[in-house]
Amino acid sequence: MNSFVIADPGLCIGCHTCEVACVAAHSANNMFLQQEENPDFYPRLRVTETDQVTAPVQCRHCEDAPCANVCPNGSITNNSSSISINQDTCIGCKTCMLVCPYGAIAMVPASRDGQRQIQAGLRSNESGVWARKERLVASKCDLCDESGNGPECVRICPTHALQLVVPGNVTESIAAKRTASAQTLQQFGGLIRF
């Protein structure tokens, strides 16, 4: 089983701190020092707010990941109990974004060493001016694998609404639920006969 982060909507207050932590964890530039009018802000999770619920939504690192199954060049792989995107080989076809059942994949400008990448040979005509086009790539939660400290969103959430689910914890939780069910049956004197 793959690890993933899940949110408890009953605890989420919609503060967007998880989004800021995600961007800070994945940015080559310090987002708090950017002088630009529109700074790069591409979190790998999104807080969704409706009248009934507020919670961050992010990749569930599916076992039979639809995004990996449709990627035409193998840029999406299962890597040490999580689903990863190799942005260097991503061609920006958007197929993964369309098939994700959670809406957890977004297309973002590619960057290397803090500099945006331009597509080789591709130009666009915006406002009557031909210009080179930025390279877009797929982006989603990677469980902050490169940090070695686990998901930053989980660590920083002020209400502890986010939780990292790992395979061992799920197995223990299921075993505890089975034990509780068996004990409940015992309280009622065994099986109910019809």
Side-chain angles (χ1 to χ4, degrees):
M1 186 176 111
N2 291 331
S3 298
F4 61 97
V5 174
I6 193 161
D8 181 345
L11 295 175
C12 180
I13 57 174
C15 67
H16 298 266
T17 303
C18 55
E19 291 180 354
V20 174
C22 180
V23 171
H26 292 93
S27 294
N29 300 325
N30 186 331
M31 65 178 270
F32 300 107
L33 300 177
Q34 289 183 21
Q35 299 292 323
E36 301 173 23
E37 204 172 288
N38 296 316
D40 292 339
F41 191 81
Y42 303 109
R44 297 176 183 214
L45 74 161
R46 293 284 179 181
V47 174
T48 301
E49 300 177 43
T50 69
D51 291 340
Q52 295 81 25
V53 68
T54 300
V57 175
Q58 63 208 84
C59 179
R60 294 288 179 90
H61 299 272
C62 304
E63 298 307 308
D64 188 17
C67 58
N69 291 333
V70 300
C71 183
N73 62 339
S75 294
I76 303 175
T77 57
N78 193 339
N79 181 17
S80 69
S81 77
S82 67
I83 303 297
S84 301
I85 297 176
N86 181 345
Q87 291 184 334
D88 291 334
T89 61
C90 176
I91 60 173
C93 69
K94 302 172 193 70
T95 308
C96 58
M97 182 177 72
L98 295 173
V99 300
C100 177
Y102 299 100
I105 299 176
M107 302 306 292
V108 300
S111 64
R112 180 171 284 136
D113 301 323
Q115 299 296 316
R116 293 230 176 132
Q117 294 180 344
I118 304 297
Q119 288 193 22
L122 185 61
R123 298 185 312 157
S124 64
N125 186 349
E126 296 179 21
S127 306
V129 177
W130 285 98
R132 294 188 66 191
K133 187 172 166 95
E134 285 185 328
R135 182 172 170 259
L136 296 179
V137 293
S139 177
K140 66 169 205 61
C141 172
D142 62 359
L143 299 176
C144 296
D145 276 342
E146 292 181 8
S147 75
N149 298 323
E152 193 64 15
C153 58
V154 172
R155 188 186 72 73
I156 204 77
C157 180
T159 62
H160 307 290
L162 294 167
Q163 176 183 8
L164 176 64
V165 178
V166 296
N169 292 356
V170 171
T171 303
E172 290 173 16
S173 175
I174 291 170
K177 288 176 185 177
R178 288 179 183 154
T179 300
S181 291
Q183 289 172 342
T184 302
L185 286 173
Q186 185 180 20
Q187 289 175 358
F188 291 110
L191 296 175
I192 299 173
R193 303 201 191 276
F194 293 97

